[in-house]
Amino acid sequence: NPSAKTTPVTAEGTIVGTFQYMAPEQMEGKEADARSDIFSFGAVLFEMATGKRAFEGKTTASVIAAILEREPPPISTMQPMSPPALDRTVKICLAKDPDERFQSAHDVKLQLEWIRDAGSQAGIPAPLVAHRKNRERVAWAGMAVLTIVAALFAVGYFLLAPKAPSAVISEIPLPADVNFTSTGNFSDPPAISPDGKWLAFAGPYFFGTGISGGAPELWVRPLDSAEARPLPGTNGAVFPFWSPDSRYIGYFANGKLSRIDVSGGPPVALADAFDGNGGTWGTDGTILFAPDAQEIMRVAFSGGTPQLVVKPSASQAAISWPQFLPDGKHFLFYARSTIPEDSGTYAASVEGGQPKLILRGSSEAAYAPQGYLLFVRQGTLMAQPFDASRLRLTGDAAPLLEHAGVNVALHRGIFTVSENGTLSYGVASSAGINSRLLWFDRSGKQIGETGTPAQYVQPDLSPSGRELAVTILDPVTEIPSVWVYDLVRGAKTRLTFYTGISAEPVWSPDGRVIAFNSNRGGRLNLYEKAADGTGSTIPLVVDEGREFFANWSSDGRYLVYQRSAGRSSRLELWVLPLFGIRKPFPLLRDKQFAVSDPALSPDGRWLAYVSSESGRPEVYIVPFLHGSGKWVVSTGGGAWPRWRRDGKELFYLGLDHKIMSAEIAEQGASLAIGKVQALFQANPATHLGRVYDVSADGKKFVVVSQGAQTASESLTLVTNWPALLKKR
């Protein structure tokens, strides 16, 4: 924008005392002229005469709503002795329609001079004059004349005063030695506080030697400082959102919706939310949140039993990203539909009822308190007038800023906006963070590489060791699909071609079939397809739950997988018999903690898995289907167990990203856990699922490793973004 200034961030960049005096057309982004100044002068004149602002509210949004929708009370109701003509003058100045106002400052001046010269004759209503003493009449008339004289001085000052500031665009510097990315399943735009003073962001954005050293956590950064600080106790946090008073942050971590005080203190868990997809905090303390993209729930900020607010319609595959509107009774959310034209931003009531489609699109639109919906279309951040009280668009969309990004995986624009007109946005990476499929020996020495850099996750070696199935994210859309590498010839072929999600491949024990999960039925369920790509995709488990990370028994008779069902945020382990009536049944489930990451031993007698029962994820082993007992393998945290072909060694990934080894010895119907040691330090490029696999003999490891980083994505800060609309 040629009118915008570019400067480094050195202060808060907030606007004080501007919105209370802005004309309606300025709020709506229309062209402002001298009549806009007359409206502003009318607001000042009202305040001079009454001691109160013409348009008041507890928040910026409520002030804006007052300017657009309400008339101030007559001055005479607050100052009975004021001149009636002054009431009329102020009312004309504050007309919503510019054509109904005085058309020039000269007109206002003549009107005020007439009121001044009329003195007490114009200043006091006749019925009251008759009952007042002379000195009271003189006093009140004198006050009225003084008010008008002061107003005449003010009109000259006000109309010659500096205009509202233009937009200021600046770059937000990142912490040292980190690389920023805002794309992927667990990356989200930093959230700006309602008062425009803070940015909150989650650790998964950052990969490198800085913030990423450990589990993801929440960080906050004042906009008047270049220093960011972590909020202790928020490990695993994603998708932060602010309380209306900018004191608290809500977020999702470890299967919970939680909140934390920005000034310090421990986090408070509010509700179960295994796969959180956004939250919003109302002025009355109500929090709306999407626990699993299959419903929007409400809960008090103090916690309690969540209540259902909205479920997807028959054609909607997922709903997410709720956002309260100013009245605290209605909210927006994004719905992805199996009917493309029905995907978009919807409005709904916290009391229930049929949601209303507001704006179609492939990513969500966010409400800005200045009376707009902001959204990204073809790389441009757009603003479209929106009447939040009537839940309808009121004008055409206008471009704000170019090169704005969208996180396609989450259907979210990479931007955040505050109540005071401050906006931050980022550019989506065209290639994400490239990773590499690197091979290591047991000492951690690199011994090879498969393929070229791409966005890899979840590698799985075939039983023969000659092929490698892996999930690859599309470099533009970030939609995952399953590919197969021929490790002998170095060639790769694509196995799945569905336009949605296909991920988490696992080989059958005979190497002829690959199971994977996909959302082609609306939820993430399990499917299978011939490993050579022939034939059709066949459903394995398609129900009301969500299935992940399957694992075949060596005899091919059972498929073990992790599952989350309905509103439950707890992961469970289930079994699908691949014979008979093929009815799945639960294997391990608990209301208090999650179980995940199943890995069956080569002889099919034992099941390794991960449980959070100790307060952090640890690797355990139990008998599979028959027998009793439970053995803990890891003691410092662990995930993603994998067996050596002979069953005498179990590998897992430590919380510090070390590849760990544990000796396993069978003793009849029991087990003995032998030496547990770290083999080498891995350098995984992602936290999305299993990032490694091991050869049958336990001598080689393939790891999805960090590759050459793309250039850091920058964040841009825009102060007083509505000013950009005035120049269009």
Side-chain angles (χ1 to χ4, degrees):
N1 188 323
S3 67
K5 304 172 185 177
T6 302
T7 181
V9 177
T10 57
E12 293 176 8
T14 58
I15 304 170
V16 179
T18 298
F19 293 113
Q20 289 84 355
Y21 308 102
M22 280 189 176
E25 61 269 24
Q26 291 176 286
M27 296 297 183
E28 295 175 345
K30 298 177 181 177
E31 190 67 31
D33 55 26
R35 296 172 299 178
S36 304
D37 291 330
I38 289 171
F39 182 98
S40 302
F41 173 71
V44 172
L45 188 55
F46 181 97
E47 189 171 344
M48 292 175 63
T50 65
K52 294 185 177 181
R53 286 178 174 171
F55 305 101
E56 294 185 309
K58 294 182 178 180
T59 65
T60 300
S62 60
V63 172
I64 293 171
I67 292 173
L68 293 174
E69 301 170 6
R70 296 195 289 273
E71 301 289 344
I75 293 175
S76 57
T77 62
M78 306 171 72
Q79 294 288 357
M81 305 304 297
S82 63
L86 182 60
D87 251 341
R88 178 178 176 275
T89 300
V90 172
K91 184 176 181 180
I92 295 174
C93 288
L94 295 179
K96 306 299 184 187
D97 186 348
D99 292 335
E100 299 298 321
R101 298 177 203 145
F102 295 113
Q103 298 299 293
S104 70
H106 184 261
D107 294 340
V108 181
K109 177 185 175 186
L110 292 177
Q111 185 71 14
L112 291 173
E113 287 178 339
W114 180 85
I115 297 173
R116 179 196 62 191
D117 294 338
S120 62
Q121 300 304 313
I124 306 173
L128 292 177
V129 174
H131 297 85
R132 298 293 183 184
K133 296 180 180 179
N134 287 338
R135 61 184 180 183
E136 289 180 331
R137 292 203 303 269
V138 172
W140 282 110
M143 289 179 61
V145 171
L146 287 174
T147 298
I148 303 306
V149 171
L152 287 171
F153 279 107
V155 70
Y157 171 81
F158 187 87
L159 297 180
L160 293 176
K163 302 298 181 183
S166 59
V168 178
I169 300 177
S170 53
E171 184 174 340
I172 302 177
L174 301 175
D177 302 322
V178 299
N179 206 28
F180 173 80
T181 182
S182 52
T183 54
N185 287 294
F186 292 94
S187 295
D188 200 35
I192 196 167
S193 60
D195 61 11
K197 295 181 179 181
W198 296 83
L199 275 180
F201 54 87
Y205 296 111
F206 295 87
F207 297 83
T209 60
I211 291 176
S212 68
E217 58 185 340
L218 279 183
W219 289 67
V220 291
R221 185 204 140 162
L223 287 180
D224 60 357
S225 169
E227 296 297 325
R229 61 178 175 86
L231 296 178
T234 58
N235 286 1
V238 292
F239 308 141
F241 58 95
W242 288 87
S243 64
D245 59 7
S246 302
R247 290 181 55 194
Y248 298 92
I249 299 175
Y251 64 95
F252 300 90
N254 306 312
K256 295 286 185 181
L257 165 69
S258 299
R259 64 172 168 85
I260 190 169
D261 192 323
V262 177
S263 62
V268 177
L270 305 179
D272 290 339
F274 166 69
D275 192 15
N277 277 252
T280 182
W281 197 315
T283 54
D284 65 352
T286 299
I287 292 176
L288 299 181
F289 67 104
D292 58 4
Q294 294 302 310
E295 53 207 351
I296 292 176
M297 312 288 288
R298 62 187 294 182
V299 70
F301 76 96
S302 56
T305 302
Q307 297 177 328
L308 178 66
V309 178
V310 175
K311 286 186 72 69
S313 68
S315 66
Q316 290 172 347
I319 57 176
S320 53
W321 318 122
Q323 183 189 8
F324 266 118
L325 291 172
D327 65 2
K329 298 178 181 179
H330 295 86
F331 63 95
L332 303 177
F333 67 92
Y334 182 78
R336 181 172 56 82
S337 176
T338 55
I339 304 173
E341 58 268 26
D342 289 345
S343 291
T345 298
Y346 286 73
S349 169
V350 294
E351 303 301 329
Q354 183 69 28
K356 175 183 179 181
L357 178 60
I358 301 297
L359 182 67
R360 291 182 171 86
S362 58
S363 64
E364 67 152 349
Y367 177 72
Q370 292 73 23
Y372 291 86
L373 292 186
L374 303 186
F375 55 93
V376 178
R377 288 288 186 273
Q378 298 179 339
T380 299
L381 182 60
M382 310 287 290
Q384 188 161 359
F386 176 67
D387 187 334
S389 63
R390 295 179 175 85
L391 302 180
R392 63 183 180 88
L393 299 169
T394 58
D396 296 330
L400 279 181
L401 298 154
E402 296 180 349
H403 309 300
V406 171
N407 186 341
V408 178
L410 297 177
H411 304 279
R412 301 200 76 186
I414 305 172
F415 66 88
T416 177
V417 62
S418 72
E419 289 187 357
N420 72 340
T422 302
L423 178 150
S424 173
Y425 75 100
V427 178
S429 168
S430 61
I433 290 187
N434 286 328
S435 57
R436 301 168 65 189
L437 292 173
L438 301 183
W439 292 84
F440 301 91
D441 63 18
R442 291 176 67 94
S443 69
K445 178 182 177 182
Q446 183 180 332
I447 56 176
E449 180 173 3
T450 294
T452 57
Q455 294 190 74
Y456 297 110
V457 288
Q458 304 144 2
D460 194 79
L461 277 165
S462 67
S464 68
R466 294 172 58 92
E467 295 91 17
L468 178 72
V470 65
T471 301
I472 302 179
L473 276 65
D474 184 274
V476 176
T477 67
E478 297 212 350
I479 295 174
S481 56
V482 177
W483 295 68
V484 177
Y485 275 99
D486 184 321
L487 298 178
V488 176
R489 296 188 299 115
K492 72 173 181 178
T493 57
R494 184 170 178 172
L495 184 72
T496 62
F497 293 88
Y498 173 57
T499 55
I501 295 172
S502 297
E504 301 166 8
V506 58
W507 293 85
S508 64
D510 60 8
R512 299 174 62 183
V513 174
I514 293 177
F516 57 94
N517 73 9
S518 176
N519 67 345
R520 63 192 64 208
R523 289 176 169 84
L524 284 172
N525 296 136
L526 293 177
Y527 298 82
E528 68 176 5
K529 188 173 184 179
D532 62 5
T534 60
S536 59
T537 297
I538 302 173
L540 281 170
V541 180
V542 178
D543 59 17
E544 294 300 312
R546 305 179 74 201
E547 284 74 42
F548 309 84
F549 303 115
N551 190 249
W552 243 294
S553 64
S554 57
D555 59 7
R557 290 173 56 83
Y558 297 98
L559 194 72
V560 183
Y561 57 92
Q562 65 185 54
R563 180 181 189 268
S564 66
R567 300 179 192 175
S568 171
S569 68
R570 299 299 179 191
L571 285 174
E572 306 168 347
L573 295 187
W574 283 58
V575 177
L576 171 67
L578 298 173
F579 56 90
I581 61 174
R582 298 169 67 103
K583 182 179 180 180
F585 60 88
L587 179 66
L588 290 174
R589 65 198 313 187
D590 195 284
K591 294 182 179 180
Q592 301 300 316
F593 51 83
V595 289
S596 60
D597 309 355
L600 284 166
S601 63
D603 61 8
R605 293 185 60 192
W606 311 98
L607 174 71
Y609 68 99
V610 173
S611 172
S612 62
E613 61 191 82
S614 68
R616 65 178 173 186
E618 299 284 6
V619 178
Y620 297 82
I621 298 177
V622 295
F624 178 60
L625 297 183
H626 304 288
S628 61
K630 181 168 65 175
W631 296 265
V632 60
V633 178
S634 62
T635 56
W640 306 114
R642 304 294 281 176
W643 292 87
R644 198 169 74 189
R645 176 69 61 83
D646 60 10
K648 294 182 179 181
E649 190 174 20
L650 184 72
F651 306 96
Y652 64 92
L653 186 68
L655 296 186
D656 56 0
H657 298 158
K658 288 187 173 71
I659 301 292
M660 305 293 293
S661 162
E663 296 176 352
I664 308 295
E666 290 190 10
Q667 297 178 344
S670 182
L671 283 181
I673 309 299
K675 182 180 179 182
V676 178
Q677 62 178 330
L679 297 183
F680 63 92
Q681 178 70 56
N683 188 31
T686 179
H687 63 290
L688 298 179
R690 181 167 45 82
V691 295
Y692 80 101
D693 200 3
V694 58
S695 62
D697 59 8
K699 294 182 179 180
K700 296 191 300 181
F701 299 80
V702 58
V703 180
V704 178
S705 303
Q706 291 186 29
Q709 303 288 336
T710 58
S712 292
E713 298 175 19
S714 63
L715 284 175
T716 300
L717 189 71
V718 183
T719 302
N720 191 28
W721 69 263
L724 297 175
L725 291 170
K726 303 173 188 177
K727 303 299 180 181
R728 297 293 178 180

